Each structure stands twice: as C-alpha cells, then as structure tokens.
Amino acid sequence: MNQMPLDFRDDKNGRGRRNESYASRHRLFFALCPSEAIEQQAAAIADDYRRAFSLSGRPRLTTLHVSIIWVGDYPKLPEDVVFAARQAGATVESAPIAMTFDRIMRFPQARALVLCGEGGRKPLTRVHVQLGVGMHNAGLRHNISRDFTPHMTLLYDRKTVPPTSLDTPVSRTASEFLLIHSVLGKTEHRIIDRWPLLG
C-alpha cells in the first residue's frame, strides 16, 4: 500500500476496493513503525523542510509508519477481514529488516512529502509479496503492487518540493511488523496484532 490519500469502498464481497469517495472510515493495513529516535529524526527533517519551503502541512508524527501492504477500507471494520488478515500475518517468514531512507521527495498524486531509499527495499518487498499471497489464501484481495515503494510520509502539502539527498540518512532495523487499524480523519492508529521478524 502506498500512503495515498485515497479511500475505498467495499466490493460486493465486503473485501474493500479503491474509490475516491470518503464513505469508508476504517483502514486496515500492515506496516513497520519507527522507534522514538527515528520519530525525533523525522520530526527534525519535517520541520526543516516546512521552514525551507514554507509548507503549511503538519507533520504526521503520531502516525509515522512504513506501509507494507493495504488490506482494505471499510465503513465498519469487518471481524472476518481482521481474522483473515491475522492469518496472513502469521505466514510471514523474514529476518529483521535493516532500512535506510537517504532521500526526501514528493509523491505528486498524493501531495505527500516522503522519506525513501533503497536500503531494505528487497527484503521488505519479499514481506509485501508474502503478505499478499497470505491474504489471497485467506480469502482477501492480495493487493500486491508492482510499483511497491517503501517510504515514510512526513506530511501532506500542495507545494512542490524538489527531491534531495539527506546529509544524515534515517536508518533503523525493524524487528517486527504490525497490523494497524487507522480511523480515517482522526489521525488515529490502533495496533491490532504484531509479529516478530526472526528469520
């Protein structure tokens, strides 16, 4: 799942589909979450760019994450979907993932200022595919993306910001991944389940 400000409606099977309306209020997705030290580093980067480019968007520091794969958006969170997503999460086999974000850029369609980089992309892509296959086997849409781009969204803003390499990359090793319930419009994330990355 790319961190795009799109909402989704249920398909006839209640499995969630992409739609630009805002009827759906509950999002379910798998993600990595940063440590407190990474949050502070990201906050400093966001503040620097807000000042440098006169951005009005507010940093998303309470909900920073690296999306792995989107499950769906729903008017109400279906218990059967949560159960199936948990089944998919339990199928993942991966060692801890060392990630490095060494660039900052804008995703134009999403109007998002993001951190990104190649460090950790391959193992995280493998987890993305494993979860997609697990979701399919559990009866959900697989949502595997050929354009999967690991990133961390700092803020949303209409202004264009040129891509830049960071003097000090943002690096961490992820030792677990999470299933997250996002209450859309409230900037609120609820952790439903978590799994260690043990190798």
mmCIF file of all heavy atoms in Angstrom, residues 53-79:
data_model
loop_
_atom_site.group_PDB
_atom_site.id
_atom_site.type_symbol
_atom_site.label_atom_id
_atom_site.label_comp_id
_atom_site.label_asym_id
_atom_site.label_seq_id
_atom_site.Cartn_x
_atom_site.Cartn_y
_atom_site.Cartn_z
ATOM 1 N N PHE A 53 10.647 25.546 2.718
ATOM 2 C CA PHE A 53 9.754 25.676 1.568
ATOM 3 C C PHE A 53 8.400 26.281 1.934
ATOM 4 O O PHE A 53 7.471 26.250 1.129
ATOM 5 C CB PHE A 53 9.560 24.305 0.907
ATOM 6 C CG PHE A 53 10.832 23.750 0.330
ATOM 7 C CD1 PHE A 53 11.592 22.832 1.043
ATOM 8 C CD2 PHE A 53 11.288 24.157 -0.911
ATOM 9 C CE1 PHE A 53 12.772 22.324 0.526
ATOM 10 C CE2 PHE A 53 12.467 23.655 -1.444
ATOM 11 C CZ PHE A 53 13.216 22.739 -0.728
ATOM 12 N N SER A 54 8.292 26.835 3.139
ATOM 13 C CA SER A 54 7.047 27.491 3.596
ATOM 14 C C SER A 54 5.841 26.580 3.427
ATOM 15 O O SER A 54 4.807 26.968 2.877
ATOM 16 C CB SER A 54 6.822 28.813 2.843
ATOM 17 O OG SER A 54 7.902 29.690 3.038
ATOM 18 N N LEU A 55 5.986 25.338 3.897
ATOM 19 C CA LEU A 55 4.896 24.373 3.796
ATOM 20 C C LEU A 55 3.909 24.596 4.929
ATOM 21 O O LEU A 55 4.286 24.948 6.047
ATOM 22 C CB LEU A 55 5.450 22.952 3.852
ATOM 23 C CG LEU A 55 6.522 22.595 2.824
ATOM 24 C CD1 LEU A 55 6.989 21.157 3.014
ATOM 25 C CD2 LEU A 55 6.004 22.806 1.403
ATOM 26 N N SER A 56 2.640 24.375 4.633
ATOM 27 C CA SER A 56 1.600 24.550 5.656
ATOM 28 C C SER A 56 1.145 23.224 6.250
ATOM 29 O O SER A 56 0.493 23.196 7.291
ATOM 30 C CB SER A 56 0.384 25.283 5.062
ATOM 31 O OG SER A 56 -0.123 24.554 3.952
ATOM 32 N N GLY A 57 1.488 22.101 5.593
ATOM 33 C CA GLY A 57 1.088 20.786 6.103
ATOM 34 C C GLY A 57 1.741 20.485 7.435
ATOM 35 O O GLY A 57 2.887 20.856 7.682
ATOM 36 N N ARG A 58 0.993 19.818 8.301
ATOM 37 C CA ARG A 58 1.512 19.472 9.624
ATOM 38 C C ARG A 58 2.135 18.076 9.598
ATOM 39 O O ARG A 58 1.571 17.156 9.006
ATOM 40 C CB ARG A 58 0.407 19.521 10.671
ATOM 41 C CG ARG A 58 -0.161 20.920 10.872
ATOM 42 C CD ARG A 58 -1.126 20.940 12.049
ATOM 43 N NE ARG A 58 -1.619 22.275 12.279
ATOM 44 C CZ ARG A 58 -0.986 23.198 12.997
ATOM 45 N NH1 ARG A 58 0.178 22.909 13.540
ATOM 46 N NH2 ARG A 58 -1.502 24.390 13.177
ATOM 47 N N PRO A 59 3.285 17.907 10.244
ATOM 48 C CA PRO A 59 3.917 16.576 10.285
ATOM 49 C C PRO A 59 3.007 15.528 10.922
ATOM 50 O O PRO A 59 2.271 15.831 11.864
ATOM 51 C CB PRO A 59 5.164 16.814 11.145
ATOM 52 C CG PRO A 59 5.457 18.266 10.983
ATOM 53 C CD PRO A 59 4.100 18.934 10.876
ATOM 54 N N ARG A 60 3.080 14.298 10.418
ATOM 55 C CA ARG A 60 2.248 13.182 10.871
ATOM 56 C C ARG A 60 2.996 12.346 11.904
ATOM 57 O O ARG A 60 3.092 11.139 11.804
ATOM 58 C CB ARG A 60 1.864 12.317 9.668
ATOM 59 C CG ARG A 60 1.250 13.083 8.547
ATOM 60 C CD ARG A 60 1.033 12.241 7.305
ATOM 61 N NE ARG A 60 -0.003 11.260 7.505
ATOM 62 C CZ ARG A 60 0.184 9.947 7.509
ATOM 63 N NH1 ARG A 60 1.386 9.448 7.362
ATOM 64 N NH2 ARG A 60 -0.819 9.116 7.670
ATOM 65 N N LEU A 61 3.540 12.989 12.914
ATOM 66 C CA LEU A 61 4.486 12.319 13.794
ATOM 67 C C LEU A 61 3.857 11.257 14.680
ATOM 68 O O LEU A 61 4.529 10.324 15.107
ATOM 69 C CB LEU A 61 5.225 13.362 14.642
ATOM 70 C CG LEU A 61 5.976 14.414 13.806
ATOM 71 C CD1 LEU A 61 6.687 15.395 14.710
ATOM 72 C CD2 LEU A 61 6.960 13.750 12.852
ATOM 73 N N THR A 62 2.575 11.381 15.002
ATOM 74 C CA THR A 62 1.940 10.375 15.862
ATOM 75 C C THR A 62 1.561 9.116 15.092
ATOM 76 O O THR A 62 1.222 8.109 15.703
ATOM 77 C CB THR A 62 0.684 10.947 16.541
ATOM 78 O OG1 THR A 62 -0.251 11.356 15.525
ATOM 79 C CG2 THR A 62 1.031 12.146 17.415
ATOM 80 N N THR A 63 1.608 9.184 13.766
ATOM 81 C CA THR A 63 1.219 8.020 12.962
ATOM 82 C C THR A 63 2.281 7.667 11.918
ATOM 83 O O THR A 63 1.958 7.089 10.887
ATOM 84 C CB THR A 63 -0.140 8.269 12.253
ATOM 85 O OG1 THR A 63 -0.034 9.471 11.465
ATOM 86 C CG2 THR A 63 -1.261 8.400 13.252
ATOM 87 N N LEU A 64 3.528 7.994 12.188
ATOM 88 C CA LEU A 64 4.598 7.631 11.256
ATOM 89 C C LEU A 64 4.666 6.119 11.096
ATOM 90 O O LEU A 64 4.584 5.384 12.080
ATOM 91 C CB LEU A 64 5.942 8.134 11.767
ATOM 92 C CG LEU A 64 6.273 9.612 11.567
ATOM 93 C CD1 LEU A 64 7.614 9.918 12.213
ATOM 94 C CD2 LEU A 64 6.299 9.982 10.091
ATOM 95 N N HIS A 65 4.833 5.681 9.863
ATOM 96 C CA HIS A 65 4.953 4.249 9.610
ATOM 97 C C HIS A 65 5.481 4.034 8.198
ATOM 98 O O HIS A 65 5.511 4.957 7.385
ATOM 99 C CB HIS A 65 3.596 3.548 9.765
ATOM 100 C CG HIS A 65 2.586 4.019 8.761
ATOM 101 N ND1 HIS A 65 1.817 5.158 8.944
ATOM 102 C CD2 HIS A 65 2.229 3.510 7.558
ATOM 103 C CE1 HIS A 65 1.027 5.334 7.900
ATOM 104 N NE2 HIS A 65 1.264 4.352 7.030
ATOM 105 N N VAL A 66 5.893 2.817 7.930
ATOM 106 C CA VAL A 66 6.262 2.385 6.584
ATOM 107 C C VAL A 66 5.254 1.318 6.187
ATOM 108 O O VAL A 66 5.244 0.218 6.749
ATOM 109 C CB VAL A 66 7.695 1.815 6.545
ATOM 110 C CG1 VAL A 66 8.038 1.337 5.133
ATOM 111 C CG2 VAL A 66 8.699 2.858 7.026
ATOM 112 N N SER A 67 4.382 1.668 5.265
ATOM 113 C CA SER A 67 3.351 0.720 4.840
ATOM 114 C C SER A 67 3.964 -0.470 4.129
ATOM 115 O O SER A 67 4.880 -0.314 3.319
ATOM 116 C CB SER A 67 2.355 1.401 3.888
ATOM 117 O OG SER A 67 1.675 2.445 4.534
ATOM 118 N N ILE A 68 3.450 -1.658 4.443
ATOM 119 C CA ILE A 68 3.888 -2.865 3.737
ATOM 120 C C ILE A 68 2.843 -3.269 2.707
ATOM 121 O O ILE A 68 3.158 -3.486 1.540
ATOM 122 C CB ILE A 68 4.144 -4.034 4.715
ATOM 123 C CG1 ILE A 68 5.166 -3.636 5.776
ATOM 124 C CG2 ILE A 68 4.621 -5.266 3.952
ATOM 125 C CD1 ILE A 68 5.359 -4.673 6.862
ATOM 126 N N ILE A 69 1.594 -3.348 3.143
ATOM 127 C CA ILE A 69 0.523 -3.676 2.200
ATOM 128 C C ILE A 69 -0.812 -3.252 2.802
ATOM 129 O O ILE A 69 -1.033 -3.373 4.005
ATOM 130 C CB ILE A 69 0.528 -5.186 1.839
ATOM 131 C CG1 ILE A 69 -0.316 -5.467 0.600
ATOM 132 C CG2 ILE A 69 0.096 -6.038 3.015
ATOM 133 C CD1 ILE A 69 -0.083 -6.853 -0.008
ATOM 134 N N TRP A 70 -1.658 -2.717 1.938
ATOM 135 C CA TRP A 70 -3.008 -2.295 2.322
ATOM 136 C C TRP A 70 -3.944 -3.497 2.291
ATOM 137 O O TRP A 70 -3.876 -4.328 1.379
ATOM 138 C CB TRP A 70 -3.463 -1.212 1.345
ATOM 139 C CG TRP A 70 -4.912 -0.908 1.345
ATOM 140 C CD1 TRP A 70 -5.598 -0.149 2.251
ATOM 141 C CD2 TRP A 70 -5.877 -1.331 0.370
ATOM 142 N NE1 TRP A 70 -6.920 -0.085 1.898
ATOM 143 C CE2 TRP A 70 -7.116 -0.802 0.754
ATOM 144 C CE3 TRP A 70 -5.795 -2.110 -0.780
ATOM 145 C CZ2 TRP A 70 -8.279 -1.017 0.020
ATOM 146 C CZ3 TRP A 70 -6.945 -2.333 -1.514
ATOM 147 C CH2 TRP A 70 -8.171 -1.789 -1.104
ATOM 148 N N VAL A 71 -4.791 -3.620 3.291
ATOM 149 C CA VAL A 71 -5.795 -4.685 3.324
ATOM 150 C C VAL A 71 -7.101 -4.180 2.750
ATOM 151 O O VAL A 71 -7.676 -4.772 1.832
ATOM 152 C CB VAL A 71 -6.003 -5.223 4.754
ATOM 153 C CG1 VAL A 71 -7.086 -6.303 4.764
ATOM 154 C CG2 VAL A 71 -4.687 -5.774 5.309
ATOM 155 N N GLY A 72 -7.621 -3.063 3.271
ATOM 156 C CA GLY A 72 -8.859 -2.508 2.752
ATOM 157 C C GLY A 72 -9.365 -1.360 3.592
ATOM 158 O O GLY A 72 -8.889 -1.124 4.702
ATOM 159 N N ASP A 73 -10.345 -0.615 3.023
ATOM 160 C CA ASP A 73 -11.037 0.460 3.732
ATOM 161 C C ASP A 73 -12.511 0.101 3.809
ATOM 162 O O ASP A 73 -13.085 -0.401 2.831
ATOM 163 C CB ASP A 73 -10.879 1.789 2.999
ATOM 164 C CG ASP A 73 -9.514 2.407 3.194
ATOM 165 O OD1 ASP A 73 -8.613 1.739 3.730
ATOM 166 O OD2 ASP A 73 -9.351 3.565 2.793
ATOM 167 N N TYR A 74 -13.133 0.389 4.949
ATOM 168 C CA TYR A 74 -14.480 -0.095 5.218
ATOM 169 C C TYR A 74 -15.283 0.934 6.008
ATOM 170 O O TYR A 74 -14.719 1.659 6.831
ATOM 171 C CB TYR A 74 -14.425 -1.403 6.029
ATOM 172 C CG TYR A 74 -13.468 -2.422 5.447
ATOM 173 C CD1 TYR A 74 -12.133 -2.473 5.872
ATOM 174 C CD2 TYR A 74 -13.885 -3.306 4.465
ATOM 175 C CE1 TYR A 74 -11.252 -3.383 5.323
ATOM 176 C CE2 TYR A 74 -12.999 -4.224 3.913
ATOM 177 C CZ TYR A 74 -11.694 -4.256 4.344
ATOM 178 O OH TYR A 74 -10.813 -5.160 3.789
ATOM 179 N N PRO A 75 -16.618 0.967 5.801
ATOM 180 C CA PRO A 75 -17.461 1.819 6.646
ATOM 181 C C PRO A 75 -17.397 1.384 8.111
ATOM 182 O O PRO A 75 -17.378 2.212 9.017
ATOM 183 C CB PRO A 75 -18.865 1.615 6.076
ATOM 184 C CG PRO A 75 -18.645 1.132 4.682
ATOM 185 C CD PRO A 75 -17.384 0.320 4.724
ATOM 186 N N LYS A 76 -17.368 0.075 8.323
ATOM 187 C CA LYS A 76 -17.153 -0.528 9.650
ATOM 188 C C LYS A 76 -16.112 -1.626 9.470
ATOM 189 O O LYS A 76 -16.074 -2.285 8.436
ATOM 190 C CB LYS A 76 -18.447 -1.131 10.207
ATOM 191 C CG LYS A 76 -19.524 -0.110 10.500
ATOM 192 C CD LYS A 76 -20.761 -0.788 11.081
ATOM 193 C CE LYS A 76 -21.843 0.235 11.380
ATOM 194 N NZ LYS A 76 -23.079 -0.403 11.924
ATOM 195 N N LEU A 77 -15.282 -1.817 10.479
ATOM 196 C CA LEU A 77 -14.211 -2.803 10.346
ATOM 197 C C LEU A 77 -14.776 -4.211 10.491
ATOM 198 O O LEU A 77 -15.240 -4.586 11.567
ATOM 199 C CB LEU A 77 -13.142 -2.549 11.404
ATOM 200 C CG LEU A 77 -11.798 -3.243 11.176
ATOM 201 C CD1 LEU A 77 -11.156 -2.741 9.876
ATOM 202 C CD2 LEU A 77 -10.866 -2.990 12.351
ATOM 203 N N PRO A 78 -14.741 -5.034 9.419
ATOM 204 C CA PRO A 78 -15.336 -6.377 9.487
ATOM 205 C C PRO A 78 -14.471 -7.347 10.284
ATOM 206 O O PRO A 78 -13.268 -7.442 10.042
ATOM 207 C CB PRO A 78 -15.411 -6.812 8.014
ATOM 208 C CG PRO A 78 -15.096 -5.583 7.209
ATOM 209 C CD PRO A 78 -14.248 -4.716 8.083
ATOM 210 N N GLU A 79 -15.069 -8.075 11.202
ATOM 211 C CA GLU A 79 -14.321 -9.021 12.031
ATOM 212 C C GLU A 79 -13.716 -10.145 11.191
ATOM 213 O O GLU A 79 -12.623 -10.626 11.498
ATOM 214 C CB GLU A 79 -15.231 -9.603 13.119
ATOM 215 C CG GLU A 79 -15.627 -8.587 14.191
ATOM 216 C CD GLU A 79 -16.438 -9.205 15.301
ATOM 217 O OE1 GLU A 79 -16.557 -10.455 15.329
ATOM 218 O OE2 GLU A 79 -16.959 -8.456 16.146
#
